[in-house]
Amino acid sequence: CDPKTSLCHHLQKMLSRTASSTVAVTQARFAQQQTRGIKASTKARRTLYITNPATGQVFRELDIDTPAVILRKFDACKTGRRQLLSMPMEKRKQAALKFADLLEEKAEELGKIMTTETGKPITQSIREVKNTKARIQFFVQHVDEAIADKVVFKDATMEERITREPLGIVANISAWNYPYFVGSNVYIPALLTGNGVVYKPSENSTLSGKEMEKLLIEAGFPEHAFKCLVGGPDVGADLLRMPVDGVFFTGSYQTGKRIYEKVSSKVVKVQLELGGKDPVYVHDDVDPVSVAAATADGAMYNTGQSCCAVERIYVHEKIYDKFVEAFVEEVKKFKVGDPMDPETYIGPLTRPRNLDNLEGQVLDAKTKGAKVLLGGSRLKDRAGFYFAPTVITDVTHTMSVMREESFGPIIGIMKVKDQEQARVLFEDNQYGLTASVYSKNWDVARDLLTRTASGMPMPFGTAYWNCCDRVSPRLPWSGRSHSGLGLTLGVEGITQFTNPKAWHIKYPTN
């Protein structure tokens, strides 16, 4: 048009305003996505920028799955699941064991990928990959038992039987802190029992998720029975819009709550493995030095980024001083450094925003009278997302460090009069994942871990006596209250991926 005409001039002004508005919205979305490691590209596609937590530098870019891509992967998974159902159980078990062998064979390579994208110390990454084999072997050994037909009643005319059928297509929204452990807890029993799996790894462990997908196919599972998505929270939300038959999530309470609310209208099975604020009580009959070493490891392993890490410690007043002294000395031995160094014990935090959370807990504690004996701040002399191993004493339950999940290398240690005071403090929290007692006396430990001060069951899914921060494939893993819903692991963890069918069978009469 002629720019001198009034109509054309009016159109140009409208387009200019629209363009300015679009640019403003795009810039706002870009800023919001950048905080999650997801950035809007100048092109139509969106990009996931994968950052090395040890350097703070982006080292890989991946296209984020669009809703259309997610739908294609979901539909492909339905095809893969049909192929899986036609695959005899023995073949599925062989594929699972082959996958376990591949993990062991490629542990060093896979560990380096995990360390680069999460910051986990390389020795711990390789150990996780290798030790996943034992979990897979447990599932293979017990899947027949878990889903076997059960005759619960039989007489001359009638039989009552229970059989089990797979759920269908399950959404597995997984975590970054133990991607192989946490992921395989879900997708291996799901595949063994005949379910298709659409796997949404954390945006902080996407490369590990893609390696899992590749190795599962190489091991012999149908190509599309397991589909890995790429992206952040928006991709997880898009997955939950699909007609899934079950949702299995590992992550924070806040995200788990949102997922639970979002899928409630679907009326499908939901399993939530959420956070913890795991307590330890140290009785006066133990050696404080050895227990300090054990609990320091429980608090600081994986840079404290474990849902079952020790997060609050209560020590009997008779051995409190010796325990604290030994604990501080033990933590001082932990090497902070490059996670690719085999000698490094504490690496960077995976997510930079947790630096602010930890500094906030330290400031809150100091303001309310606590003493910081070690650490207490981010390590500004290092590139990346490092926080100094931190030990805080003179703490109380008015402080966030004793009440809110930390998920980092920080611990509060509190002096108590006896186990009865510890009992009250144990249950004074909304989380209920694990709890531990160190004592030579089984009766002391069992009583504290069994009942609250009011005589009710102590609300923790896992109880430890003279150990902590431990998970076994033979035992169910579950939480209470804000720590989750449902369970994984154990024989019960296999049955979670099935629905029971009740059979009433009346024999024909002559």
Side-chain angles (χ1 to χ4, degrees), residues 15 18 71 145-146 170 232 274 297 299 347-348 362 364 366 373 414 416 425 429 449 454 483 491:
L15 289 170
T18 302
L71 178 58
E145 168 195 351
V170 299
L274 309 179
D297 179 67
V362 172
D364 173 69
K366 289 169 65 176
L373 302 186
M414 183 174 177
V416 294
L425 295 169
N429 200 270
L449 293 167
S454 62
S483 287
V491 174

Side-chain angles (χ1 to χ4, degrees), residues 253 274 429-432 459 479-485:
Y253 161 74
L274 309 179
N429 200 270
Q430 292 181 311
Y431 291 100
R480 308 287 189 267
S481 189
H482 286 192
S483 287
L485 176 73

Side-chain angles (χ1 to χ4, degrees), residues 106-319:
K106 299 175 181 292
E108 187 170 338
E109 172 191 342
L110 299 172
K112 288 179 179 178
I113 293 171
M114 191 198 314
T115 291
T116 305
E117 66 180 342
T118 69
K120 177 179 287 191
I122 186 64
T123 302
Q124 299 174 20
S125 291
I126 293 173
R127 183 182 299 129
E128 178 188 342
V129 176
K130 287 184 175 180
N131 289 350
T132 301
K133 183 173 184 175
R135 299 193 180 198
I136 296 172
Q137 289 172 329
F138 174 85
F139 292 135
V140 168
Q141 292 164 4
H142 293 275
V143 63
D144 290 332
E145 168 195 351
I147 65 173
D149 293 1
K150 292 181 174 60
V151 176
V152 294
F153 174 80
K154 187 174 184 179
D155 65 12
T157 63
M158 192 80 186
E159 179 180 313
E160 296 172 356
R161 180 185 301 176
I162 302 170
T163 60
R164 291 196 166 270
E165 300 171 338
L167 299 177
I169 304 293
V170 299
N172 179 197
I173 302 177
S174 201
W176 50 263
N177 58 332
Y178 288 95
Y180 285 88
F181 281 165
V182 171
S184 66
N185 289 350
V186 172
Y187 61 70
I188 292 298
L191 291 168
L192 285 172
T193 53
N195 299 277
V197 179
V198 183
Y199 181 70
K200 163 57 180 72
S202 164
E203 57 270 29
N204 298 105
S205 58
T206 300
L207 298 180
S208 294
K210 289 175 72 66
E211 291 298 316
M212 296 174 203
E213 181 179 43
K214 182 171 66 176
L215 294 180
L216 284 165
I217 295 170
E218 183 178 342
F221 283 106
E223 181 179 0
H224 299 299
F226 178 96
K227 301 299 290 183
C228 179
L229 303 184
V230 176
D234 291 347
V235 170
D238 288 337
L239 171 58
L240 295 178
R241 295 187 182 98
M242 298 292 107
V244 296
D245 302 296
V247 176
F248 294 78
F249 168 75
T250 301
S252 70
Y253 161 74
Q254 291 79 11
T255 303
K257 180 174 179 289
R258 288 195 296 271
I259 287 174
Y260 195 42
E261 292 168 346
K262 188 176 185 65
V263 302
S264 61
S265 62
K266 293 181 181 292
V267 196
V268 297
K269 181 170 286 187
V270 177
Q271 185 269 332
L272 304 174
E273 181 184 330
L274 309 179
K277 192 67 183 173
D278 306 87
V280 170
Y281 169 62
V282 183
H283 199 43
D284 64 353
D285 61 352
V286 299
D287 170 31
V289 176
S290 62
V291 175
T295 52
D297 179 67
M300 302 291 171
Y301 190 85
N302 195 25
T303 316
Q305 298 171 122
S306 303
C307 57
C308 58
V310 174
E311 290 228 353
R312 47 192 175 117
I313 302 177
Y314 307 98
V315 184
H316 195 288
E317 61 186 5
K318 289 182 180 179
I319 60 169

Side-chain angles (χ1 to χ4, degrees), residues 279-495:
V280 170
Y281 169 62
V282 183
H283 199 43
D284 64 353
D285 61 352
V286 299
D287 170 31
V289 176
S290 62
V291 175
T295 52
D297 179 67
M300 302 291 171
Y301 190 85
N302 195 25
T303 316
Q305 298 171 122
S306 303
C307 57
C308 58
V310 174
E311 290 228 353
R312 47 192 175 117
I313 302 177
Y314 307 98
V315 184
H316 195 288
E317 61 186 5
K318 289 182 180 179
I319 60 169
Y320 175 82
D321 292 337
K322 289 183 179 179
F323 177 90
V324 169
E325 180 183 0
F327 193 98
V328 170
E329 290 306 309
E330 185 68 23
V331 174
K332 286 180 179 178
K333 298 176 187 176
F334 295 153
K335 180 178 179 179
V336 180
D338 179 357
M340 283 296 186
D341 181 351
E343 299 299 317
T344 293
Y345 181 85
I346 291 180
L349 297 175
T350 301
R351 292 185 164 181
R353 63 174 176 263
N354 203 30
L355 291 166
D356 293 333
N357 175 56
L358 297 181
E359 284 192 329
Q361 289 191 349
V362 172
L363 178 61
D364 173 69
K366 289 169 65 176
T367 301
K368 295 174 180 176
K371 294 179 182 177
V372 178
L373 302 186
L374 197 65
S377 65
R378 67 185 73 196
L379 297 176
K380 297 180 180 178
D381 61 333
R382 291 181 177 272
F385 315 135
Y386 286 88
F387 196 88
T390 299
V391 180
I392 307 176
T393 58
D394 293 350
V395 290
T396 69
H397 272 221
T398 66
M399 303 172 186
S400 60
V401 73
M402 298 299 283
R403 301 194 60 80
E404 299 171 10
E405 188 173 32
S406 301
F407 226 65
I410 181 173
I411 190 69
I413 306 176
M414 183 174 177
K415 182 191 297 186
V416 294
K417 182 179 179 181
D418 54 24
Q419 64 265 35
E420 293 308 316
Q421 184 182 2
R423 189 192 308 276
V424 173
L425 295 169
F426 263 36
E427 65 170 313
D428 184 28
N429 200 270
Q430 292 181 311
Y431 291 100
L433 191 59
T434 80
S436 174
V437 172
Y438 282 81
S439 172
K440 293 179 180 179
N441 191 325
W442 163 242
D443 290 334
V444 168
R446 181 179 57 183
D447 184 62
L448 177 52
L449 293 167
T450 300
R451 66 174 181 87
T452 66
S454 62
M456 295 293 103
M458 185 63 79
F460 293 94
T462 293
Y464 299 121
W465 181 36
N466 293 331
C467 57
C468 61
D469 190 28
R470 182 180 187 275
V471 180
S472 166
R474 295 171 291 277
L475 294 171
W477 188 251
S478 65
R480 308 287 189 267
S481 189
H482 286 192
S483 287
L485 176 73
L487 60 91
T488 56
L489 297 175
V491 174
E492 296 94 335
I494 301 173
T495 63

Side-chain angles (χ1 to χ4, degrees), residues 47-66:
T47 303
L48 177 66
Y49 286 74
I50 301 176
T51 301
N52 184 336
T55 65
Q57 299 299 310
V58 172
F59 70 94
R60 186 77 180 272
E61 300 177 15
L62 298 173
D63 286 350
I64 292 174
D65 286 342
T66 64

